[in-house]
Amino acid sequence: MENEAIKEPGEYTVLNFGPAQPIMHGALRLKLKLDGETIIGARMEIGYLHRCFEKMSEQQTWHGVIPFTDRLNYCSSLMNNLGYCNAVEEWMGIEVPPRAQALRVFFNEMHRIMDHCVCIGPGLVDLGALTNLWYLFTAREKMYELIERVCGSRLTTSFLRIGGLTRDVAPDFVRTAREMIDYSRPFIDDVRHLIEHNRIFIDRTRNIGNVSYEDAMAWGYTGPNARASGVKYDVRKARPYHGYQNYEFDIPLGTNGDSYDRYMVRFEEVIQSYRIMSQVLDNLPGGPIAADDPRVTLPPKNQTYNNIEALMNHFKLTFDGIQVPEGEWYSFTEAANGELGFFCVSDGGGRPYRIKVRPPCFAACQSIEKICVGYMVPDLTAIVGSMNIIAGELDR
Amino acid sequence: MTDQENITVQKLRENFPEEILDVGGRPNDVAVTVRRDRIPDICRFLRDDPDLSYKYFIDICGVDYMEMEKTPRFAVIYNLLSFEKGHRIRLKVLLEESDPAVDSVIEIWKGADWFEREAFDMFGIQFRNHPFLRRILTHHQFVGHPLRKDYEHGRRQLCTEVWDLEFD
């Protein structure tokens, strides 16, 4: 920097980065103040994808919110379903049957892998490594095929219901799921081998965008971003839900909190998710897939058609919705990006009075305008890519 | 209520006896309602006390109780986590409709920045001493606060101007 011509005070270049810039991973705008190619200031504008999730939720029944939650983090829609359903179930004290819990955990981990594929793949494309995207998206496509077989849709599944699942899986599910695992796993390993010791990748990401242990907590980082900074916090271990305490898995931790660590923590989490998925398939329990609780579950169809109480229950649940007891509570699960929290207020009626989502990447995204200062413009690519900003949950 | 959360409530009672209005919630999700005037002091105490160490910032959000006919009308909820001690607390501050303002906690946790801006945008709650309290999710030309209960959910506004983002 010494060779550069000294500028007059206040003289700098302004560069608008986004909202239609491909590396911004969804529409967000960053206005940069540049001295040469070094960033000396930044200001971010978000909200381009704001769809009033919280206001719309207040107009729906408690069940009607589930399709909206799909559209929060659309790369891992089922994890949002799980976070929301878990929040309502926890408050109402509904016991989800073991088979539904195990299947939820399976698909949850599968979506975690898919989400990490979306973070790593396009993130590497931004850094100039195109091959990895095709490898990772082939693996991801195999998972989409499986979820399509199970629930008929791919991106936005709405597969969960409060108290269980929409439907059971096919009898050959365990076989097809194992095929999916055997098919997709080598692609992930290949990508890891391609980049782990890759000189260019290391040069582009090592010591870029470092976040210290204290800063990670003060900014509210959760999930892989926090773990890359050494914060050993994972909701699945800290407050297990859905029987996560019964599965063996490790929490990968980074040491430097730089972009390299954030990518590598995600790679390791993918491996751990495969471990959990295999354990679920080894011990998949039988039994019902929805809680036997007339407050939340629709009666079976043969009952609805032949018995007046079941018909009335069906009618009430469909039109009035689930009656959630009055109160307010906060419930949280570990989504792909970190702690996905739902703060709910119920007035005792069939509609949510207030639902506040605590999206994990909102906390991480606000720090970008501070931590990118001092780096070069190409480094910003590595920082934004490694944070995994998903505009759907950022803007809601 | 777990032991650790008892300690939090107990310590708050010892140090801020005047400030605590109510303790509620459920096990593992304790809610403490406090007066609004000393909220930065309470937050700093929660963060710095070695037995509590709520260094982890989780969430800030607003609530409008208009249709539940509670007074005061607004509330601000602070969700905090003490990762080292493994406990959580939910602080709640009630705000009158005539003066929905509370001091910002951005000095204590940097992460409060955008969450306070969001609560301002959605409910019109003023966070005093926030350095850049501007709309965040809605357009800068937008009028009103959309999550207030008296904002009709179908009402639309035409916003066309580009925001010339200013630096500090």
Side-chain angles (χ1 to χ4, degrees):
Chain A
M1 295 299 124
E2 287 165 43
N3 297 336
E4 275 198 13
I6 295 166
K7 293 194 168 142
E8 293 292 318
E11 192 185 323
Y12 50 83
T13 320
V14 171
L15 181 72
N16 267 300
F17 220 63
Q21 156 66 265
I23 79 139
M24 295 309 274
H25 296 263
L28 51 140
R29 172 182 170 210
L30 200 55
K31 190 172 174 185
L32 302 174
K33 199 197 268 186
L34 298 177
D35 178 8
E37 221 182 325
T38 308
I39 301 166
I40 54 171
R43 184 64 86 183
M44 195 177 256
E45 185 188 7
I46 64 165
Y48 288 89
L49 217 61
H50 182 52
R51 295 145 301 169
C52 326
F53 167 82
E54 289 165 14
K55 188 78 176 172
M56 294 313 293
S57 303
E58 291 168 12
Q59 321 303 325
Q60 295 294 326
T61 59
W62 286 91
H63 253 144
V65 177
I66 292 174
F68 295 156
T69 61
D70 278 332
R71 282 132 182 104
L72 292 173
N73 183 347
Y74 36 70
C75 297
S76 53
S77 49
L78 198 137
M79 301 184 93
N80 309 313
N81 290 174
L82 183 91
Y84 173 72
C85 291
N86 186 49
V88 182
E89 286 155 5
E90 234 178 55
W91 182 244
M92 295 182 74
I94 293 160
E95 193 62 42
V96 181
R99 182 175 175 81
Q101 282 196 3
L103 286 169
R104 278 178 175 196
V105 167
F106 179 87
F107 289 117
N108 199 36
E109 294 308 315
M110 194 176 91
H111 277 78
R112 192 183 310 280
I113 297 174
M114 283 152 64
D115 196 277
H116 288 349
C117 285
V118 175
C119 171
I120 298 166
L124 289 170
V125 172
D126 300 340
L127 297 174
L130 190 66
T131 320
N132 308 289
L133 177 83
W134 310 127
Y135 278 51
L136 290 174
F137 273 46
T138 311
R140 182 167 166 263
E141 175 60 29
K142 200 72 183 171
M143 294 172 193
Y144 270 133
E145 275 174 23
L146 183 72
I147 194 78
E148 196 179 3
R149 283 171 74 100
V150 169
C151 74
S153 55
R154 288 162 59 91
L155 195 65
T156 48
T157 54
S158 302
F159 182 49
L160 266 52
R161 291 289 178 273
I162 295 164
L165 308 170
T166 22
R167 57 171 77 82
D168 205 348
V169 292
D172 66 345
F173 171 75
V174 173
R175 184 178 58 78
T176 46
R178 279 195 211 280
E179 275 172 19
M180 181 278 288
I181 292 177
D182 294 341
Y183 181 87
S184 61
R185 176 73 193 266
F187 285 98
I188 312 265
D189 292 339
D190 279 352
V191 173
R192 187 175 176 156
H193 293 146
L194 274 172
I195 67 156
E196 195 170 20
H197 302 295
N198 184 312
R199 177 73 194 281
I200 304 170
F201 177 72
I202 292 173
D203 284 352
R204 290 292 301 277
T205 53
R206 261 266 178 252
N207 288 321
I208 301 295
N210 293 38
V211 179
S212 69
Y213 178 85
E214 280 76 23
D215 275 358
M217 293 201 285
W219 281 118
Y221 278 31
T222 43
N225 294 340
R227 291 192 280 272
S229 300
V231 181
K232 197 176 180 184
Y233 174 64
D234 187 321
V235 182
R236 292 175 294 174
K237 291 273 190 200
R239 209 184 75 172
Y241 52 95
H242 285 31
Y244 265 112
Q245 63 276 28
N246 305 327
Y247 302 108
E248 258 180 49
F249 63 101
D250 302 321
I251 306 178
L253 284 184
T255 45
N256 297 325
D258 55 8
S259 300
Y260 183 83
D261 282 3
R262 286 193 282 269
Y263 279 115
M264 283 305 146
V265 162
R266 286 193 165 84
F267 266 115
E268 193 54 41
E269 280 192 12
V270 168
I271 311 285
Q272 300 302 325
S273 291
Y274 273 116
R275 269 178 81 185
I276 299 175
M277 278 159 61
S278 302
Q279 289 173 50
V280 174
L281 292 179
D282 290 343
N283 307 301
L284 187 63
I289 48 98
D292 182 20
D293 191 328
R295 289 179 302 165
V296 293
T297 311
L298 288 176
K301 282 289 169 289
N302 63 344
Q303 293 281 315
T304 311
Y305 293 136
N306 295 314
N307 149 355
I308 184 67
E309 284 81 15
L311 179 67
M312 280 170 64
N313 192 13
H314 184 103
F315 181 84
K316 292 290 265 183
L317 274 178
T318 312
F319 281 80
D320 294 347
I322 297 175
Q323 305 295 310
V324 175
E326 187 176 338
E328 37 188 87
W329 70 100
Y330 180 76
S331 167
F332 49 97
T333 55
E334 181 79 18
N337 263 341
E339 177 179 317
L340 176 72
F342 283 90
F343 175 71
C344 309
V345 181
S346 172
D347 58 358
R351 281 158 212 278
Y353 186 80
R354 166 102 169 97
I355 290 184
K356 154 79 193 193
V357 187
R358 189 259 175 209
C361 75
F362 193 74
C365 191
Q366 63 179 341
S367 67
I368 288 178
E369 59 183 24
K370 298 287 187 304
I371 64 173
C372 73
V373 172
Y375 295 104
M376 312 258 278
V377 177
D379 299 336
L380 184 65
T381 325
I383 297 172
V384 174
S386 67
M387 291 277 184
N388 195 19
I389 306 299
I390 307 278
E393 71 173 0
L394 183 69
D395 296 344
R396 284 156 282 154
Chain B
M1 223 182 270
T2 62
D3 293 345
Q4 196 61 57
E5 280 159 343
N6 264 330
I7 288 175
T8 308
V9 174
Q10 209 180 330
K11 281 235 166 191
L12 277 176
R13 281 222 164 98
E14 277 168 22
N15 289 280
F16 300 95
E18 307 280 296
E19 304 298 313
I20 294 175
L21 296 173
D22 183 38
V23 178
R26 52 184 183 142
N28 295 319
D29 188 18
V30 176
V32 180
T33 310
V34 295
R35 284 183 209 280
R36 72 164 175 178
D37 297 332
R38 290 185 63 199
I39 192 81
D41 297 339
I42 295 173
C43 288
R44 192 168 286 117
F45 170 76
L46 286 173
R47 185 192 66 179
D48 294 339
D49 190 280
D51 293 338
L52 306 178
S53 79
Y54 283 90
K55 290 178 187 157
Y56 218 131
F57 172 79
I58 295 291
D59 189 28
I60 287 181
C61 70
V63 184
D64 176 5
Y65 288 113
M66 192 182 90
E67 284 176 3
M68 282 169 98
E69 288 167 1
K70 282 190 190 174
T71 50
R73 179 175 167 185
F74 294 110
V76 178
I77 313 279
Y78 300 78
N79 266 305
L80 306 172
L81 166 67
S82 167
F83 150 73
E84 284 155 10
K85 310 282 174 192
H87 52 265
R88 283 174 177 265
I89 195 158
R90 186 145 51 81
L91 290 183
K92 187 171 167 183
V93 180
L94 299 170
L95 302 175
E96 295 290 343
E97 188 177 358
S98 54
D99 178 26
V102 64
D103 287 326
S104 169
V105 294
I106 196 167
E107 292 286 310
I108 297 146
W109 299 283
K110 295 188 256 191
D113 185 356
W114 279 17
F115 289 88
E116 290 187 341
R117 278 176 69 187
E118 191 193 326
F120 161 72
D121 189 2
M122 293 294 151
F123 293 95
I125 293 163
Q126 299 288 333
F127 290 89
R128 289 185 291 243
N129 305 326
H130 189 289
F132 194 73
L133 195 64
R134 305 290 290 271
R135 289 189 178 275
I136 185 162
L137 293 179
T138 59
H139 197 272
H140 69 284
Q141 285 180 308
F142 192 88
V143 180
H145 299 286
L147 278 182
R148 286 190 175 189
K149 288 285 176 182
D150 48 11
Y151 189 96
E152 280 173 44
H153 71 272
R155 202 176 127 212
R156 286 166 180 251
Q157 300 186 23
L158 183 66
C159 304
T160 51
E161 293 292 311
V162 175
W163 180 17
D164 183 32
L165 275 175
E166 64 267 41
F167 296 108
D168 290 325

